[in-house]
Amino acid sequence: MTAHAEGLPVQDVALELRHVGKIFAQEPDWIARILRRLGVAIQDYRLVAVHDINLQIAPGEMVGLVGESGCGKSTLGRIAAGLRAPTSGEVSYKGVRVDAAGTRMPARERLKIQMVFQDPMASLNPRRRVGELIAEGAVYHGLWTRTEAAQRVADLLVEVGLDPSHAHRYPHQFSGGQRQRIAIAQALSVNPDVLVCDEPVAALDVSIQAQVLNLLMELRQRRNLTCLFISHDLAVIRHVCDRVAVMYLGRIVELAPARSIFEDAQHPYTRALLGEILRIDGGRRQFTPIQGELPSPLNPPSGCAFHPRCPKASAICASEAPPLQAQQGGWAVACHHPG
Amino acid sequence: MRLVRAYMRNRMALFGLLLMLVVLFLAVFAPWIAPQNPYDLKQLSLMDARRPPGTESMAGFTFVLGTDALGRDIWSGILYGLRISLTVAVVSALVALTIGSTLGLTAAWRGGRTDALIMRIVDLQMSFPSILVALILLAVLGRGVDKTIIALVTVQWAYYARTIRASAMIEREKEYIEAASCMRLGAWRIMTRHLLPNCLPPLMVVVTVQIAHAISLEATLSFLGIGLPETEPSLGLLIASGYAHLLTGTYWISIFPGIALLIAIFAINLVADHLRDLLNPRLAR
Amino acid sequence: MSAAPGRSQASSHRSPQGEAPVSAALLDVENLCTSFFTEDGEVRSVDGVSLRLERGEVLGLVGESGSGKSVMGLSLMGLIDSPGKIVAGSIRLDGEELVGAPEHAMRRLRGPRLGMIFQDPLMSLNPVLRIETTLIETLLAHEFIDSATAHRRALAALTDVGIPSPAQRMRGYPHEMSGGMRQRVAIAAALLPGPQLLIADEPTTALDVTIQSQILHLLQNLVAARGLALIMISHDLSVVASLADRVAVMYAGRIVESGPVQQILSRPAHPYTRGLIHSAPVMSEPGTPLPQIRGAPPSPLGRPAGCAFAPRCDRASSSCTSMPALTDLHIGHAVRCWHPHLEARLPGIAA
């Protein structure tokens, strides 16, 4: 199933997701149950956000998670970071179980996985000074003493490209790109090994996106970070990631090395996504969009979730969901008609 | 702060704030401003009983607003009464704030059964008329300042809990709280140092409104003769003592404390209203 | 045709009698200035923008936050409310002056002549009204037709924008539809009265990539089928590149470069445009640091005197302390810079 990291001993895998699933369900309350007995049709609210995800990330690797709305990538990111408990399956860091559903909560290991969020306006507490925000986690967990905190904060601010004398300012006094750098500094303060980035540049101006992407790439090299990079933008992922996992409606439909996915995408959905990358030097183009709407996770199509929109769909696609099958060259596809 | 500057721009609000500060000043410095301590029996003289406003007293100063049946200067009575009313109102508001905030935050943070339980108790509390609850409580507990405060806290805490829970539920979903969870800071720390400060704006309005409400509630209770004892007479008691004589000529015993009460509540409500208007567009931003 | 740099060029197009020329441009904007008067001072969101749009032409307006592109769109529609105001300049739609026009005159134009769609389709669709109510209301407000005709036209409009089972969807509410479908309905509503000009303010930014493509495809078809003029406002140069005939790049309230789309993309003259194109990930070898523009766009409050891009520009010199004028480099290609690039840009990396 896993391509790159398959067969590695458990301790050599930085982050592993095994059979991770997340279902949001609302049990009918007692009124609904009575109504149902009386014959009223009450719908069960059951949303399969993420279904049976298996992923192994090697240390120092940057894996991209790409997909559109409803594919579950944000939910998966939060499960990987330990912010949400998976309904099934588990997340391990270097062999130690760290997901939020685990009974033992090993604080030290869980601290090694940090997250950078999408909206820099919302990811910093507006009422605290920036220096305090960066230092809080490290001081709380005893990684820094109070006396050295100021110096450490200054060092981190320099590392992310900000002026260390601004540590006493409030978040609203910074621009969007600067706030994102502060959020990154905050995440780095506890010396994580794994960084989950949830659309870190989507909310930024175009001219600032390159700056933050460069910063992330540089930090990853310098600190040998392992990253899970979530984005809807395949162009960005291809540029910064080693491997790419394409998600559709809660499942991984293709897993491939980033360099080659542009040329050799096997899954029809990946092909469609690639076709959508509007090229700047392409000029006027004829669009050939794929038809149909993104299905709602509340009401997924039978069999392969992509079959209503797929140009290659056949009878088996409507009845059976294809499993993610490993192929050579570190590739994996979930399709009845790949290639 | 920008809030202060924006507040100052509105003349009515400024007026309300000024009025409130005057009331506060009078209440705090009552012993030094009042020409007479109406609770010091040695200073009273029955010869001064029921004197109309403007009369000269035996001790030499003028009874600006007249005297009551025991010869107590109404003006001094108002000043001391304000003191007591405000103290009781503010203390009860702060205690209710503490209790209500804790419960509301816990309900919002924990969600699920805890939330349901706390909110049902809040609903229950709020469905009883506050006067009724206070009356019953004080009938059981008896008279006294501390008992009045307990009664006021009991009828108020639910508003704070509900308000802060509403804010907290919105803030809880925001990413800075997720970032704090990612840092594995303890739940209590996240609630107090991250969630609470960001839920304060609507609370400020509730506190102000509730203080006004507490003053009027306490006045009502004292008027009815329960709550505060006679040794700590508030404005309500002053109004009550002159009530019987309202139409027989000695109107000043009830009317002036009544007007004082009105001004105090009006000032606080003005301030609260403008705070609310100011905070709304900011919340929408 | 280039963006008119000032009155003198525009007047040279006029006939000797001083009347508007026969083949007038559909939209002629001259030196438009829109300001917002806030408690922190006057914010000049649009600072002297001139442009021309012919019938059936697609103009892309590209810029980031603070560039004034959205305010530009709203100014054209006359939707600037207090504390904002158009303080100078003129907007002529088919010869008719829009700046200073009374509200009832603007209402006659909005709909039948001018249409607009927004990033959030719920800005065009009232969430508590059924789709058919919104559509028919728009029609009946502008034309004297009976409701049966209006209903038929609304149904046809929904079919034109590709809504499946339109009769059913008419009876539904906006929240029952996906984002992409809502945007289609918003487009249908905007086009129903048959305007000559459509302004689209970031219509696909909030949509998923596959849906974005559908909407752009739809717009492309509508423009071709109806001879519609379109102003496409976006922060994404590649979206504009795929749809527009001409592009105008805005920075800090002014147009810094404009011209035919192929020309701008292959030979960007302004350092900002060039920086934007080069910093896109598709243009670089994967894994390498991306060429970046340092600094951040200036806030509309604290704009430097002179060229607003100078603090971020590698080519800045002492002459950049004064504002350069928009000058023609070649026919149709104008740039506002003291040191424009004259050479072609680096080629992108082939996919």
Side-chain angles (χ1 to χ4, degrees), chain C residues 300-312:
Chain C
L301 283 166
R303 287 200 186 132
C307 175
F309 187 65
R312 307 173 75 187

Side-chain angles (χ1 to χ4, degrees), chain B residues 142-276:
Chain B
R143 297 184 82 162
V145 179
D146 49 345
K147 302 182 178 68
T148 314
I149 292 181
I150 291 176
L152 288 175
V153 166
T154 312
V155 304
Q156 279 184 58
W157 72 269
Y159 288 99
Y160 295 102
R162 185 179 276 192
T163 310
I164 207 177
R165 176 187 172 266
S167 297
M169 294 209 75
I170 297 173
E171 294 295 312
R172 191 185 60 158
E173 303 305 325
K174 292 214 175 135
E175 285 162 351
Y176 68 89
I177 299 290
E178 286 193 293
S181 302
C182 220
M183 281 292 157
R184 323 293 176 204
L185 306 174
W188 188 247
R189 191 187 171 106
I190 299 181
M191 278 200 275
T192 48
R193 301 197 69 184
H194 289 271
L195 208 50
L196 180 60
N198 286 289
C199 297
L200 282 182
L203 268 188
M204 286 203 285
V205 179
V206 176
V207 168
T208 333
V209 170
Q210 287 296 92
I211 289 180
H213 187 241
I215 294 178
S216 93
L217 187 60
E218 179 276 310
T220 316
L221 292 170
S222 303
F223 181 83
L224 294 172
I226 58 170
L228 291 180
E230 271 140 10
T231 47
E232 313 266 15
S234 69
L235 293 173
L237 203 61
L238 284 175
I239 300 175
S241 62
Y243 186 63
H245 315 288
L246 208 51
L247 300 170
T248 60
T250 49
Y251 62 92
W252 56 86
I253 306 177
S254 279
I255 292 288
F256 291 126
I259 294 177
L261 188 64
L262 198 69
I263 292 177
I265 297 179
F266 175 68
I268 298 178
N269 273 325
L270 260 186
V271 172
D273 263 346
H274 285 281
L275 258 185
R276 184 192 289 123

Side-chain angles (χ1 to χ4, degrees), chain C residues 182-230:
Chain C
R182 265 186 285 218
Q183 195 63 289
R184 288 176 194 265
V185 174
I187 294 174
L191 293 182
L192 202 49
Q196 303 164 286
L197 171 63
L198 182 67
I199 302 172
D201 189 356
E202 306 256 26
T204 55
T205 307
L207 301 175
D208 286 303
V209 165
T210 50
I211 309 296
Q212 171 175 290
S213 187
Q214 291 178 3
I215 300 293
L216 291 175
H217 182 59
L218 173 67
L219 284 172
Q220 204 174 44
N221 288 345
L222 288 170
V223 163
R226 298 175 184 220
L228 188 65
L230 176 65

Side-chain angles (χ1 to χ4, degrees), chain A residues 33 150 177 242 248:
Chain A
R33 280 202 287 264
D242 303 315
Y248 192 78

